[in-house]
CSV table of all heavy atoms in Angstrom, one decimal:
chain,number,residue,atom,x,y,z
A,40,GLU,N,37.9,-87.2,-94.7
A,40,GLU,CA,38.1,-86.9,-93.3
A,40,GLU,C,36.8,-86.7,-92.6
A,40,GLU,O,35.8,-86.2,-93.1
A,40,GLU,CB,38.9,-85.6,-93.2
A,40,GLU,CG,40.2,-85.6,-94.0
A,40,GLU,CD,41.3,-85.0,-93.3
A,40,GLU,OE1,41.1,-84.2,-92.4
A,40,GLU,OE2,42.5,-85.2,-93.7
A,41,PRO,N,36.7,-87.1,-91.3
A,41,PRO,CA,35.5,-86.9,-90.6
A,41,PRO,C,35.3,-85.4,-90.4
A,41,PRO,O,36.3,-84.6,-90.4
A,41,PRO,CB,35.8,-87.5,-89.2
A,41,PRO,CG,37.3,-87.7,-89.2
A,41,PRO,CD,37.8,-87.8,-90.6
A,42,ARG,N,34.0,-85.0,-90.3
A,42,ARG,CA,33.8,-83.5,-90.2
A,42,ARG,C,34.5,-83.0,-89.0
A,42,ARG,O,34.5,-83.6,-87.9
A,42,ARG,CB,32.3,-83.3,-90.0
A,42,ARG,CG,31.5,-83.3,-91.3
A,42,ARG,CD,30.1,-83.1,-91.1
A,42,ARG,NE,29.4,-83.3,-92.4
A,42,ARG,CZ,29.1,-82.3,-93.2
A,42,ARG,NH1,29.5,-81.1,-92.9
A,42,ARG,NH2,28.5,-82.6,-94.3
A,43,ALA,N,35.2,-81.9,-89.1
A,43,ALA,CA,35.9,-81.3,-88.0
A,43,ALA,C,35.7,-79.8,-88.1
A,43,ALA,O,35.3,-79.2,-89.1
A,43,ALA,CB,37.4,-81.6,-88.2
A,44,GLN,N,36.0,-79.1,-87.0
A,44,GLN,CA,36.0,-77.7,-87.0
A,44,GLN,C,37.0,-77.2,-88.0
A,44,GLN,O,38.1,-77.8,-88.1
A,44,GLN,CB,36.4,-77.2,-85.6
A,44,GLN,CG,35.4,-77.5,-84.5
A,44,GLN,CD,34.1,-76.9,-84.8
A,44,GLN,OE1,33.9,-75.8,-85.2
A,44,GLN,NE2,33.0,-77.7,-84.6
A,45,PRO,N,36.8,-76.2,-88.8
A,45,PRO,CA,37.7,-75.8,-89.8
A,45,PRO,C,39.1,-75.6,-89.3
A,45,PRO,O,40.1,-76.1,-89.9
A,45,PRO,CB,37.1,-74.5,-90.3
A,45,PRO,CG,35.7,-74.5,-90.0
A,45,PRO,CD,35.6,-75.4,-88.7
A,46,ALA,N,39.3,-75.0,-88.1
A,46,ALA,CA,40.7,-74.8,-87.7
A,46,ALA,C,41.4,-76.1,-87.4
A,46,ALA,O,42.6,-76.2,-87.6
A,46,ALA,CB,40.6,-73.9,-86.4
A,47,GLN,N,40.7,-77.1,-87.0
A,47,GLN,CA,41.4,-78.4,-86.7
A,47,GLN,C,41.8,-79.1,-88.0
A,47,GLN,O,42.7,-79.8,-88.0
A,47,GLN,CB,40.4,-79.3,-85.9
A,47,GLN,CG,40.2,-78.8,-84.5
A,47,GLN,CD,39.1,-79.6,-83.8
A,47,GLN,OE1,38.3,-80.3,-84.5
A,47,GLN,NE2,38.9,-79.4,-82.5
A,48,ALA,N,40.9,-78.9,-89.0
A,48,ALA,CA,41.2,-79.6,-90.3
A,48,ALA,C,42.4,-79.1,-91.0
A,48,ALA,O,43.0,-79.7,-91.8
A,48,ALA,CB,39.9,-79.6,-91.1
A,49,LEU,N,42.7,-77.8,-90.7
A,49,LEU,CA,43.8,-77.2,-91.5
A,49,LEU,C,45.2,-77.6,-90.9
A,49,LEU,O,45.3,-77.9,-89.8
A,49,LEU,CB,43.7,-75.6,-91.4
A,49,LEU,CG,42.6,-75.0,-92.2
A,49,LEU,CD1,42.5,-73.5,-91.7
A,49,LEU,CD2,42.9,-75.0,-93.7
A,50,PRO,N,46.2,-77.6,-91.8
A,50,PRO,CA,47.6,-77.8,-91.3
A,50,PRO,C,47.9,-76.7,-90.3
A,50,PRO,O,47.3,-75.6,-90.4
A,50,PRO,CB,48.5,-77.6,-92.5
A,50,PRO,CG,47.6,-77.6,-93.7
A,50,PRO,CD,46.2,-77.3,-93.2
A,51,ARG,N,48.8,-77.0,-89.3
A,51,ARG,CA,49.1,-76.1,-88.2
A,51,ARG,C,49.3,-74.7,-88.7
A,51,ARG,O,48.7,-73.7,-88.2
A,51,ARG,CB,50.3,-76.6,-87.5
A,51,ARG,CG,50.0,-77.1,-86.1
A,51,ARG,CD,51.1,-77.8,-85.4
A,51,ARG,NE,50.9,-77.8,-84.0
A,51,ARG,CZ,51.3,-76.8,-83.2
A,51,ARG,NH1,52.0,-75.8,-83.7
A,51,ARG,NH2,51.1,-76.8,-81.9
A,52,ALA,N,50.3,-74.6,-89.6
A,52,ALA,CA,50.7,-73.2,-90.0
A,52,ALA,C,49.5,-72.4,-90.6
A,52,ALA,O,49.3,-71.3,-90.3
A,52,ALA,CB,51.8,-73.3,-91.1
A,53,ALA,N,48.7,-73.1,-91.4
A,53,ALA,CA,47.6,-72.4,-92.1
A,53,ALA,C,46.6,-72.1,-91.0
A,53,ALA,O,45.9,-71.0,-91.1
A,53,ALA,CB,47.0,-73.3,-93.2
A,54,ALA,N,46.4,-73.0,-90.0
A,54,ALA,CA,45.3,-72.7,-89.0
A,54,ALA,C,45.7,-71.5,-88.2
A,54,ALA,O,44.8,-70.8,-87.8
A,54,ALA,CB,45.2,-73.9,-88.1
A,55,GLN,N,47.0,-71.2,-88.0
A,55,GLN,CA,47.4,-70.1,-87.2
A,55,GLN,C,47.3,-68.8,-88.0
A,55,GLN,O,47.1,-67.8,-87.4
A,55,GLN,CB,48.9,-70.3,-86.8
A,55,GLN,CG,49.0,-71.3,-85.6
A,55,GLN,CD,50.4,-71.8,-85.5
A,55,GLN,OE1,51.3,-71.4,-86.3
A,55,GLN,NE2,50.6,-72.7,-84.6
A,56,ALA,N,47.4,-68.9,-89.3
A,56,ALA,CA,47.3,-67.6,-90.1
A,56,ALA,C,45.9,-67.1,-90.0
A,56,ALA,O,45.0,-67.8,-90.1
A,56,ALA,CB,47.7,-67.9,-91.5
A,57,GLU,N,45.8,-65.8,-89.9
A,57,GLU,CA,44.5,-65.1,-89.8
A,57,GLU,C,44.0,-65.0,-91.3
A,57,GLU,O,44.6,-64.3,-92.1
A,57,GLU,CB,44.7,-63.7,-89.3
A,57,GLU,CG,43.5,-63.0,-88.8
A,57,GLU,CD,42.6,-63.7,-87.8
A,57,GLU,OE1,43.2,-64.4,-86.9
A,57,GLU,OE2,41.4,-63.7,-87.9
A,58,PRO,N,42.9,-65.8,-91.6
A,58,PRO,CA,42.5,-65.7,-93.0
A,58,PRO,C,41.9,-64.4,-93.4
A,58,PRO,O,41.2,-63.8,-92.5
A,58,PRO,CB,41.4,-66.8,-93.1
A,58,PRO,CG,41.0,-67.1,-91.8
A,58,PRO,CD,42.1,-66.6,-90.8
A,59,GLN,N,42.2,-63.8,-94.5
A,59,GLN,CA,41.7,-62.6,-94.9
A,59,GLN,C,40.5,-62.8,-95.9
A,59,GLN,O,40.5,-63.8,-96.6
A,59,GLN,CB,42.7,-61.7,-95.7
A,59,GLN,CG,43.8,-61.2,-94.8
A,59,GLN,CD,44.9,-60.6,-95.6
A,59,GLN,OE1,44.7,-60.2,-96.7
A,59,GLN,NE2,46.0,-60.5,-95.0
A,60,PRO,N,39.5,-62.0,-95.9
A,60,PRO,CA,38.3,-62.2,-96.7
A,60,PRO,C,38.7,-62.4,-98.1
A,60,PRO,O,39.5,-61.6,-98.7
A,60,PRO,CB,37.5,-61.0,-96.5
A,60,PRO,CG,38.1,-60.1,-95.5
A,60,PRO,CD,39.4,-60.7,-95.1
A,61,GLY,N,38.3,-63.5,-98.8
A,61,GLY,CA,38.5,-63.7,-100.2
A,61,GLY,C,39.9,-64.2,-100.6
A,61,GLY,O,40.2,-64.4,-101.7
A,62,VAL,N,40.8,-64.3,-99.6
A,62,VAL,CA,42.2,-64.7,-99.9
A,62,VAL,C,42.5,-66.0,-99.2
A,62,VAL,O,42.3,-66.1,-98.0
A,62,VAL,CB,43.2,-63.7,-99.4
A,62,VAL,CG1,44.6,-64.1,-99.7
A,62,VAL,CG2,42.9,-62.3,-100.1
A,63,ARG,N,42.8,-67.1,-100.0
A,63,ARG,CA,43.1,-68.3,-99.4
A,63,ARG,C,44.6,-68.3,-99.0
A,63,ARG,O,45.4,-67.8,-99.8
A,63,ARG,CB,42.9,-69.5,-100.4
A,63,ARG,CG,41.4,-69.8,-100.4
A,63,ARG,CD,41.3,-71.3,-100.6
A,63,ARG,NE,40.9,-71.6,-101.9
A,63,ARG,CZ,41.3,-72.7,-102.6
A,63,ARG,NH1,42.2,-73.5,-102.0
A,63,ARG,NH2,40.9,-72.9,-103.8
A,64,PRO,N,45.0,-68.9,-97.9
A,64,PRO,CA,46.5,-68.9,-97.6
A,64,PRO,C,47.2,-69.7,-98.7
A,64,PRO,O,46.6,-70.7,-99.2
A,64,PRO,CB,46.6,-69.6,-96.2
A,64,PRO,CG,45.2,-70.2,-96.0
A,64,PRO,CD,44.2,-69.5,-96.9
A,65,ILE,N,48.4,-69.3,-99.1
A,65,ILE,CA,49.1,-70.1,-100.1
A,65,ILE,C,49.9,-71.2,-99.4
A,65,ILE,O,50.8,-70.9,-98.7
A,65,ILE,CB,50.1,-69.1,-100.9
A,65,ILE,CG1,49.2,-68.0,-101.5
A,65,ILE,CG2,50.9,-69.9,-101.9
A,65,ILE,CD1,50.0,-66.8,-102.0
A,66,PRO,N,49.6,-72.4,-99.7
A,66,PRO,CA,50.3,-73.5,-99.0
A,66,PRO,C,51.7,-73.7,-99.6
A,66,PRO,O,51.9,-73.4,-100.8
A,66,PRO,CB,49.5,-74.8,-99.3
A,66,PRO,CG,48.3,-74.3,-100.2
A,66,PRO,CD,48.6,-72.9,-100.6
A,67,SER,N,52.7,-74.1,-98.8
A,67,SER,CA,54.0,-74.4,-99.4
A,67,SER,C,53.8,-75.8,-100.0
A,67,SER,O,52.8,-76.5,-99.7
A,67,SER,CB,55.0,-74.5,-98.3
A,67,SER,OG,54.7,-75.5,-97.4
A,68,PRO,N,54.7,-76.2,-100.9
A,68,PRO,CA,54.5,-77.4,-101.7
A,68,PRO,C,54.3,-78.6,-100.8
A,68,PRO,O,53.4,-79.4,-101.1
A,68,PRO,CB,55.8,-77.5,-102.5
A,68,PRO,CG,56.4,-76.2,-102.6
A,68,PRO,CD,55.9,-75.4,-101.4
A,69,ASN,N,55.0,-78.7,-99.7
A,69,ASN,CA,54.8,-79.9,-98.8
A,69,ASN,C,53.6,-79.8,-98.0
A,69,ASN,O,53.2,-80.8,-97.3
A,69,ASN,CB,56.1,-80.2,-98.0
A,69,ASN,CG,56.4,-79.1,-97.1
A,69,ASN,OD1,55.7,-78.1,-97.0
A,69,ASN,ND2,57.6,-79.1,-96.5
A,70,GLN,N,52.9,-78.7,-98.0
A,70,GLN,CA,51.6,-78.6,-97.3
A,70,GLN,C,50.4,-79.1,-98.2
A,70,GLN,O,49.3,-79.2,-97.8
A,70,GLN,CB,51.3,-77.2,-96.9
A,70,GLN,CG,51.9,-76.9,-95.5
A,70,GLN,CD,51.6,-75.4,-95.2
A,70,GLN,OE1,51.0,-74.7,-96.0
A,70,GLN,NE2,52.0,-75.0,-94.1
A,71,MET,N,50.7,-79.2,-99.5
A,71,MET,CA,49.7,-79.4,-100.5
A,71,MET,C,49.0,-80.8,-100.3
A,71,MET,O,49.7,-81.8,-100.3
A,71,MET,CB,50.2,-79.4,-101.9
A,71,MET,CG,50.5,-78.0,-102.4
A,71,MET,SD,49.1,-76.9,-102.3
A,71,MET,CE,48.0,-77.7,-103.4
Side-chain angles (χ1 to χ4, degrees):
E40 304 220 344
R42 277 175 190 272
Q44 294 301 315
Q47 289 167 351
L49 287 169
R51 245 169 160 273
Q55 282 159 4
E57 194 57 39
Q59 288 173 20
V62 179
R63 281 216 253 149
I65 299 164
S67 67
N69 58 8
Q70 275 178 355
M71 287 300 300

